[in-house]
Structures are given as structure tokens and as C-alpha cells.
Amino acid sequence: MRAQATRYVRLAWRRLISMRTALVLLFLLALASVPGSLLPQRPLNPAKVDAYLRTHGGWGRFLDRIGMFDVFGAAWFAAIYLLLFVSLAGCLVPRIRQHARAVARKPLPAPKNLDRLPESGGFASGDTPAAYARAARAVLGRRWRIVQRDEPDGVVTLSAEKGYTRETGNLLFHVALLTALVLIAVGRLFSYQGSVIVQQGQGFCNSPTAYDSWRPGRMAADGRIGPAPFCIDSLNQFTATYLTDGEPSKFSADVTYSKVLPDGTDGPAIHHTITVNHPLRLEGDRVYLINHGFAPKVTVRMPDGSVQRDQATFLPTDPSTFLSDGAFQEQGPQGAGKDVGIEGFFAPTPAVGNDGGVTSASPQVDNPVLGIFVYEGTLNPNGLPQSVYSLNKAELHRIGQANLRIGQTARMPNGIAVTFDGWVPWVSLQVSHDPTQGYLLIVAVTAVVGLIGSLAVRRRRLWLRITPAPAGKPDSPTVVAVGGLARSDTGNFTTEFAGVLSRLRDAATPIEPALVGAGKE
Amino acid sequence: MAVNTGLAHLSDALFTTAIATYSLAMACYTAEYAFGRRGRVAATSRAEARVLVGAGGPSVEQPVAEAPARRSSTRRAAGERLGRLAVVLTVLGAAIHLGSIALRGVAADRVPWGNMYEFSSVAGVIAILAFLGALWRAPQIRYIGVFVMLPVILLMFLAGTVLYAKDAPLVPALQSYWLAIHVTAAAGSEGILITSAVFTVLFLIRQRYDAVTAGAGRLRFPVTLGARLPAPETLDKVAYRTVAFAFPIYTFGVIAGAIWAEAAWGRYWGWDPKETWAFIAWVIYAAYLHARATAGWKGRSAAWINLLGFGAMTFNFFVVNIVISGLHSYAGLN
């Protein structure tokens, strides 16, 4: 019974490490990736997933349950690639052993009849067998591994083999793939990523609480690694440059940053310009310029006559014109119901839209308009966390609306007035950390090198049987028989062999014409 | 940075001229295919190869293949002449095509593969060069040039009409030297893989033709084309060689893309739809290379896997760029 079980296990293992299984798993891997590109994915775009779920009801919930909205994090996807890599490892280990043995072993002795090989030829030489063997070895050079053997009757044979790099490259490539998988897994454990919106003139320190969105790997989530110690002290200036046709040509964020020294004090302030494609790299972290937008500035006169200044981040709703939406929330005295809320839009280059309202014609700022809807009442009555980009209007009532140019003031009932003072740019910065990506690059380059070796190098075997003149016929020439075998990728081996044969023939000392006939077999 | 419109227009004119030249070349290939006798060219070159092997080796007798029949008909000579003309036209067309690509780059002072039109153009010229390269190694395949010209002309026609985008400077996300590296590798390998797909289709046709002539099924178009195609082994070998050549370049292209993504988007891999489909195509081509070395999968099955990989690559180029939105959406089509 137990023997039977062992037999089944062994059989299953052999099945798993077979090339057929690997092929099927490769197909499964390709097939399993397809929904990841056709359905919205939660790690990439959670809002789209929610929209899909809202419109697809039960079908959407079913897809969600089987992990279709996070395909590349799903258990069944992991099962496929883990099986594939187990199969690969199971196949690799014996092959590495086998290859090591093949490299260590001497090339096989020459067969008796070389003309039975796929490629063969021969010629006569005026040299003695030993002398010709020397000449032939010189012709073949160092690319061939050659073993010379002496046989009875003065016959000398050469066994030559080349192209070991093919299998070496093949194994290297596959080992690199396995290593890459391990590195990716380790990298995900130790990685973290945070993103934050910074208005011009503001800054932040690299700590989880500073981020609008914080995505730690397992180690960072458990607090076993902390973010690298540095602060972006200030976004000094953000510049967007546009071409005459409105297409952007350059985004750059000029920042001042400082590292936090081991004793807890701040290091010297350093200036740096972050642009798209050129992140700031420091302390093992990378700081990226991801997005940008506008933060309009307003002065609000409250119902009690006090004045509040504010600037709020507006989010672009149209990526091509940068028409942006946002809100201002001005708290009055606690519980008085005299808070002022403003929802609005910012049009960098105002234009009249199809519906007659104001829209934006371009992401460049040219005499911008701030459209406002002003509310009075109690902001955020239940005290729960509330979006800073919109208002909770449960206990607010609208008291007026206006479209303002810079410097203009809109007067509302109850003494409320709103002045559009101007705007500052904001940028969205992302801080990323992945300690293994440098190693991963090395592994990837190794994989490509191995791949080239495994596809470009060809395994070849060549034998020479050099027979001296028969005893008693000292005038007869030495006869050289050559045979060749292509062990992989036969390609143009016929031509290749012909080339080697003619070079070998050229290395032979010519014999007098009279002897040619005698040399013939 | 303004675009030199004069040069840009000249580039467009050269692009059109290249299509016209390729079309003429295709007409000549077709004529050779129709008039030239199958196997004649192949037989001649085979005989030459034997003579080369035997040359200078008096002690070895090589059975020299029978000299091709000397029934020299004018039709056949015409076929030969047309075939040579076709190659000349192909080289000329490729030169004009390269000129068009170079001028477009000069006009906007950037690498000339920043949108789908330019990418198609580059992939097309690479496919032509890959075919010329194959021709250099195996001259006997010349008369099947029509099957390479056809998809390339089709691709260029699509590029010039549907995918066309005016020469313009690059958006900030594309302003990186990785554009030159990543997209060159991608366009280069995809151009070569087009050639491989063509040879694979011809292989399948020829194999089907052999099966049909051996008594299975009826002879119908396109299987009838098989009558004049090279031996299935040759076609299979060329298809494999081209994939073996392109696959490391493709792999390098994906890695270069990952390096660029790390600098531009904050991560080396993020399963963006373009990345996902690049992965899918890579896995399928890897499966092809394995299938060709696995008993029971060689030949027909492997050929279909090759075409599946080509399908995934084409999907990645057309559908993912145009229909599915992602980070790679800078097709220049709005």
C-alpha cells in the first residue's frame, strides 16, 4: 500500500517536471493573465472596479469572489506560476548535474567508421599521423575541446567537441528566472510606497502619517522597517512648460530636501529638480513627480465679520484641459451653524462650454476663472472623516454662486464675501522603496546573456581518424577521415562542416600527384 | 522645439514612395512566383553547394546532383529577371523607407518612433530587412517574397491612413533615452517576428498541401499555394531561426521597458495592460521555443503556438493601444 503511494507520488512528480507539463503551465500562465488586462484591476484603479461592480450586479460580485479584479494577486494565479517554477526547479536540478558531468567528461572516442556519421569526408596528407594531428589541433583552435587518442597500428584519433555554452546559457537563464521570482517576492515583503499632494511652498517628511496614501509591504506594515529618514522641506516651485499647440513639453518640480542625521537633527538643505523620468534618489528611496494641478486661493469674510484665508487642492477632472474641482471648508464658531462651505471649479484657460457654462480650453493658465457655489450651515455635522474635495451638504444650504476672475469678490447674503486671490500649483509626489530591484536588474541581464548563449551557440562534435600508410608501403600517404555530428540546431551544419573540412585539408602537407591515387580507399 | 514642417512633409512623401516601391517589388515577386518553376532555383543552389563541398577534394567522390534540365524557356528567364528586379526594388524601397524614418526624426529632433504610425513604419522596415537577411543566407526563398511584402504593405497602409499622426515633439513622459532603447528593441523584434509568422503560415500551407496531395482531403485555396513553396523543413527552420533571433531582443526590450518604467512611473512592473500583453506574448513565444524541442509538439503544434504568439503581439499593438486605456496610451490617436 505504502509502496503504491510512493509510486504514485513519484509518477506525479515525474509528470510535473516533464516538458509537456511545463508547456501546459506556460499556456495557463498566459491565459490567466488575460483577464488582468481586460477587467479593471483593484491595485491599478479601484474606482473603476467599484464602477464595474455597480453596473454588473451579481456577475460582478461573482468575478470579485474569484479574484478577477486582482488577478496578479489571486491565489489561483500564484498557484500556476508556483507550479511552473517547481516544475522548472525539478527539471533544472538533474540537468545541472548532467551538464556538470558532460563538461567534466572527455569527448567520446572516435567511432570506427566516420563515414556513417551525418557529415563526413576525407583527404590524404603527406604528414605523419602525429604531425597532422598537431596541425589539425592548431586549425581547430581553442573553441573546440580536443582529446587525442592513440590506437593500435599507429592510428591517431582526435575527438573534438564545442558548444557547451549552449546548455550553460540555458541553465543560467532558467536559474536566473527562479532567482528573479525569489527577489520579486522578497522585494514585495520589504517595499513600501507613499504618495502625497504638496502645494507649492509646503513640504513633508518621509513617514507613514505624512502620506495621503500609504501602501506598505509586510515588513513596513509590521513596523519592522521604517521609511528612510529624510524630509522634502519645500516644493519651491513647480513649472509646466507647454508648446504653442497646448501639448505639454516639460514638467519640473524644484524642491529643497534634507536627510535626517543619525542624531535626529536635520542635515544640510539641498536643492534638486525632479522631472518626469528623473526621480530624486536618496537613502534607498525614490521620489517621483507623478501629477500636478492647481490650488486656488480665496479670502472668505465669515458671517461674524472675521476673515479667513485659505488655499485648497483642486483635482483635475479633465486630463487634457485641467478643468479642476475642489472645495473650501471654513469653520465658524463651534455649533453656531455659521460655517461656510464652498464647492467650485477652476478653469485655467476659461472658455464657454457646450452647455453655455464655463469650461477650460487648455491646461495652461491664462486669466483663470474660479466658479463657486457657496453654502452656509454646519460642515461635517457627524464628525466623521470627510473628503477635502467635496462638501457634506446634509446641514448646509446654498446661498449663492459666482464666477470670479483673480481679484474679484462675490458678495453673498449674511455678510459673507468670497475673494479669488490667485492660485499656486501643487504636485503629487510618490515615494517608493524596493531594496531588491538593483539585484533584480543584475539577474535580468544575466537571464538575457544566458538566453543568447542558449539560442545562438550550437553544440557540435567532430572526429578525425588519422591512419598512417600501411606497413610495407612507405610511399603511401597518411589518410585522414573526418566525421561530424550536430547535437543541436542542425541549421546549416552541412555548410559549416564543409568549411571545417576544407580548413583541415588546407592544413595537410600536399602530396605528390602520383600518390593521390594510392591514397584513395 | 518647433518641428521642421518641410522635412516632415518630405518624410511623408518618402513613406508613400516606399509603399509604392514595395508594391512594385511585390508585383515582381508575384510574377516570379507565377512564371518561375518551383524548385528550379532551389535545385541549382543545391547543386552548387555540392560542388563547393567536393571542390579540391580529389580523394572524395561526391555525387553531384543532376544538372538542372536545360529546357531554357523564355518564360523562366523572365521569371528569373523579375525575381532579381524584385530584390533590387525591395532594397530601393527599404532605402527610401529608412530615409523617411530618418527625416521624421531630424524634423522633430528626436527618435522617430514616438507613436503608432512611426512604430509601424519602423517595424515594417525591420521586417523587410529581416527578409533580406534571410534571403542573403538562403537565396532560394526569393520567390516567396510576395508573402513578406503583402503584410508589410498592409501594415504601412494602416500606418499611413488609420494610425497617421503629425510629426510633433514628445510629451514629457517620452522624453527619455530609454525611448530609443526600449522601442528600438520592441520594433526590431516585432518586425522580425512578423517575418517568422509569415514563414510559419507558409509552413502550415505547405504541410497541408503535402497531406492533401498524399490523398487526404481536397485541394483548395490557400493550400494550392503549397505547390510552389519550399520544403516544409526549410520553412519550419527559417521560422524557428527568426524567433530564436528575435526572442532575446524582445526579452531585452521588455527589460529595458521595466528599467524605464522604474524611472518614469515609480515601479519596474505594474501589470499595465501593455505590460500584461507583452508578458503574455513573451510566455507564448517561450512556449513555442520549448514546444519545438518537445516530442509530440514539433511541427504543426509548434507552428500554431508561433502564430498564437504573433496574435498576442498584434493584439498588444493594435487593441491595447487603441481600445484599452493604460499608461502606454500615447498612440497619437485622439
Side-chain angles (χ1 to χ4, degrees):
Chain A
M1 201 56 206
R2 191 147 161 203
Q4 187 113 358
T6 323
R7 215 164 53 101
Y8 280 129
V9 168
R10 201 169 281 169
L11 201 68
W13 173 247
R14 250 189 234 139
R15 244 326 125 71
L16 179 65
I17 66 171
S18 77
M19 191 74 109
R20 272 151 203 271
T21 309
L23 267 175
V24 170
L25 287 171
L26 276 173
F27 280 123
L28 275 179
L29 189 62
L31 193 65
S33 309
V34 173
S37 73
L38 302 181
L39 290 169
Q41 296 293 297
R42 210 166 256 125
L44 290 179
N45 200 333
K48 262 192 184 168
V49 175
D50 293 342
Y52 189 94
L53 283 173
R54 269 197 304 279
T55 50
H56 287 78
W59 171 241
R61 283 194 298 281
F62 170 72
L63 289 179
D64 198 15
R65 189 155 331 134
I66 59 171
M68 281 296 176
F69 300 117
D70 184 10
V71 166
F72 304 105
W76 48 269
F77 190 79
I80 296 172
Y81 69 75
L82 286 177
L83 266 181
L84 183 64
F85 277 83
V86 169
S87 159
L88 172 59
C91 173
L92 271 184
V93 172
R95 277 186 82 154
I96 291 174
R97 207 183 302 139
Q98 215 172 1
H99 182 56
R101 242 182 262 142
V103 170
R105 198 173 44 210
K106 286 179 181 169
L108 296 173
K112 277 274 173 281
N113 295 314
L114 293 180
D115 50 0
R116 284 196 193 151
L117 290 167
E119 298 294 336
S120 63
F123 50 86
S125 163
D127 309 291
T128 63
Y132 181 73
R134 254 198 312 281
R137 296 182 75 144
V139 165
L140 293 175
R142 294 178 54 182
R143 287 184 62 192
W144 292 82
R145 169 189 294 199
I146 306 168
V147 169
Q148 186 168 339
R149 291 185 176 87
D150 292 322
E151 291 189 7
D153 302 328
V155 174
V156 175
T157 68
L158 292 180
S159 308
E161 194 155 349
K162 72 167 183 179
Y164 294 92
T165 322
R166 184 184 184 86
E167 182 67 359
T168 311
N170 182 25
L171 296 172
L172 193 65
F173 170 74
H174 287 97
V175 169
L177 283 190
L178 278 173
T179 317
L181 184 74
V182 172
L183 282 176
I184 290 169
V186 172
R188 287 190 64 167
L189 275 183
F190 284 87
S191 69
Y192 56 78
Q193 190 182 28
S195 64
V196 59
I197 285 181
V198 184
Q199 293 174 5
Q200 187 168 291
Q202 301 178 345
F204 69 98
C205 280
N206 191 20
S207 98
T209 53
Y211 291 109
D212 301 331
S213 140
W214 170 246
R215 301 215 320 230
R218 178 70 57 79
M219 290 303 193
D222 292 354
R224 277 193 268 184
I225 57 163
F230 66 85
C231 291
I232 305 290
D233 299 320
S234 160
L235 169 65
N236 303 319
Q237 196 179 11
F238 171 77
T239 322
T241 319
Y242 293 89
L243 301 164
T244 42
D245 65 352
E247 285 292 313
S249 69
K250 194 174 185 192
F251 300 125
S252 68
D254 178 35
V255 298
T256 305
Y257 70 90
S258 55
K259 296 173 188 173
V260 179
L261 301 177
D263 60 9
T265 59
D266 285 356
I270 305 166
H271 259 278
H272 188 87
T273 302
I274 306 175
T275 58
V276 181
N277 278 317
H278 296 95
L280 165 63
R281 293 173 191 272
L282 78 160
E283 303 287 293
D285 283 16
R286 295 109 55 194
V287 185
Y288 294 91
L289 172 59
I290 296 291
N291 206 348
H292 68 102
F294 305 101
K297 295 198 283 190
V298 291
T299 304
V300 180
R301 195 167 76 222
M302 304 294 284
D304 61 3
S306 66
V307 170
Q308 301 200 13
R309 285 174 187 281
D310 200 2
Q311 63 188 48
T313 299
F314 275 38
L315 295 180
T317 51
D318 181 335
S320 61
T321 66
F322 267 64
L323 183 69
S324 309
D325 277 354
F328 296 94
Q329 310 193 14
E330 313 304 333
Q331 300 278 356
Q334 189 76 36
K338 297 280 183 192
D339 300 338
V340 175
I342 303 170
E343 262 186 1
F345 65 85
F346 180 86
T349 299
V352 178
N354 293 331
D355 57 354
V358 175
T359 180
S360 177
S362 158
Q364 303 177 70
V365 182
D366 180 15
N367 198 7
V369 160
L370 178 68
I372 51 170
F373 300 90
V374 185
Y375 298 82
E376 190 182 14
T378 305
L379 291 164
N380 199 12
N382 50 19
L384 293 175
Q386 154 71 25
S387 162
V388 296
Y389 304 110
S390 61
L391 300 175
N392 175 352
K393 301 191 196 84
E395 293 186 20
L396 290 174
H397 58 275
R398 192 195 283 194
I399 55 171
Q401 68 181 78
N403 289 339
L404 302 176
R405 303 271 177 178
I406 291 177
Q408 290 181 339
T409 301
R411 290 178 206 291
M412 304 284 160
N414 301 339
I416 296 170
V418 181
T419 309
F420 178 26
D421 296 327
W423 58 279
V424 291
W426 59 259
V427 299
S428 161
L429 295 179
Q430 178 185 310
V431 175
S432 303
H433 177 78
D434 181 348
T436 59
Q437 63 173 21
Y439 302 105
L440 195 59
L441 179 60
I442 297 171
V443 168
V445 171
T446 311
V448 174
V449 170
L451 189 60
I452 293 172
S454 77
L455 289 172
V457 175
R458 291 173 196 155
R459 189 85 186 269
R460 301 289 184 246
R461 278 182 179 167
L462 198 67
W463 289 280
L464 278 80
R465 181 171 284 280
I466 311 166
T467 313
K473 286 189 176 174
D475 290 342
S476 305
T478 299
V479 174
V480 182
V482 187
L485 185 68
R487 292 212 52 206
S488 68
D489 198 4
T490 44
N492 288 328
F493 185 56
T494 305
T495 327
E496 205 180 308
F497 181 81
V500 175
L501 185 64
S502 93
R503 279 189 294 130
L504 285 171
R505 184 185 295 115
D506 293 345
T509 307
I511 41 176
E512 285 161 41
L515 294 172
V516 172
K520 227 170 185 175
E521 281 162 296
Chain B
M1 189 68 218
V3 173
N4 184 329
T5 41
L7 286 184
H9 283 143
L10 185 55
S11 163
D12 292 349
L14 286 182
F15 183 81
T16 318
T17 316
I19 295 184
T21 317
Y22 287 153
S23 305
L24 276 177
M26 185 169 83
C28 292
Y29 284 123
T30 314
E32 187 197 15
Y33 185 79
F35 299 141
R37 280 287 153 76
R38 173 171 86 89
R40 189 187 61 81
V41 186
T44 315
S45 59
R46 217 176 294 139
E48 278 168 1
R50 285 295 169 110
V51 172
L52 263 176
V53 174
S59 61
V60 192
E61 210 102 26
Q62 280 281 345
V64 173
E66 274 178 49
R70 292 269 172 231
R71 293 182 295 118
S72 109
S73 75
T74 43
R75 267 180 67 171
R76 222 182 289 158
E80 173 67 23
R81 270 206 301 278
L82 281 169
R84 289 186 185 188
L85 181 62
V87 174
V88 171
L89 283 171
T90 311
V91 173
L92 184 70
I96 296 170
H97 194 166
L98 284 171
S100 154
I101 294 168
L103 277 184
R104 201 165 162 97
V106 172
D109 193 22
R110 62 176 175 81
V111 287
W113 38 86
N115 53 45
M116 283 183 80
Y117 160 72
E118 293 165 2
F119 188 94
S120 309
S121 182
V122 171
V125 83
I126 300 280
I128 296 285
L129 293 177
F131 172 65
L132 287 174
L135 205 58
W136 186 275
R137 299 293 294 271
Q140 67 270 25
I141 63 168
R142 183 181 68 201
Y143 67 102
I144 60 173
V146 51
F147 300 107
V148 178
M149 302 311 283
L150 188 66
V152 170
I153 291 172
L154 201 70
L155 176 69
M156 289 179 71
F157 175 75
L158 272 180
T161 51
V162 184
L163 306 177
Y164 184 76
K166 266 200 180 148
D167 203 359
L170 297 170
V171 296
L174 292 184
Q175 291 167 11
S176 167
Y177 56 87
W178 285 105
L179 176 66
I181 301 167
H182 166 61
V183 185
T184 308
S189 53
E190 292 183 10
I192 301 167
L193 291 171
I194 292 174
T195 316
S196 182
V198 167
F199 282 105
T200 304
V201 169
L202 296 182
F203 163 76
L204 287 170
I205 290 175
R206 175 65 209 260
Q207 224 196 20
R208 179 85 195 125
Y209 174 82
D210 286 353
V212 168
T213 46
R218 278 182 44 212
L219 203 56
R220 248 184 300 198
F221 184 81
V223 178
T224 43
L225 289 172
R228 297 192 166 178
L229 291 176
E233 297 78 34
T234 311
L235 292 168
D236 183 46
K237 204 177 281 177
V238 177
Y240 167 71
R241 285 289 190 78
T242 38
V243 172
F245 186 73
F247 189 69
I249 303 175
Y250 186 77
T251 310
F252 170 76
V254 171
I255 292 172
I259 297 172
W260 187 9
E262 191 273 339
W265 299 328
R267 80 291 183 292
Y268 55 81
W269 194 269
W271 297 110
D272 178 63
K274 191 84 179 180
E275 294 171 341
T276 305
W277 279 93
F279 172 78
I280 293 171
W282 188 86
V283 167
I284 297 176
Y285 276 113
Y288 167 73
L289 291 176
H290 285 98
R292 254 189 118 270
T294 307
W297 286 76
K298 290 174 182 162
R300 263 168 62 91
S301 312
W304 282 110
I305 299 173
N306 186 337
L307 291 184
L308 199 64
F310 182 71
M313 208 180 68
T314 313
F315 183 92
N316 198 11
F317 183 59
F318 287 107
V319 182
V320 172
N321 274 13
I322 299 172
V323 182
I324 304 176
S325 68
L327 289 166
H328 277 80
S329 41
Y330 32 71
L333 307 166
N334 282 317

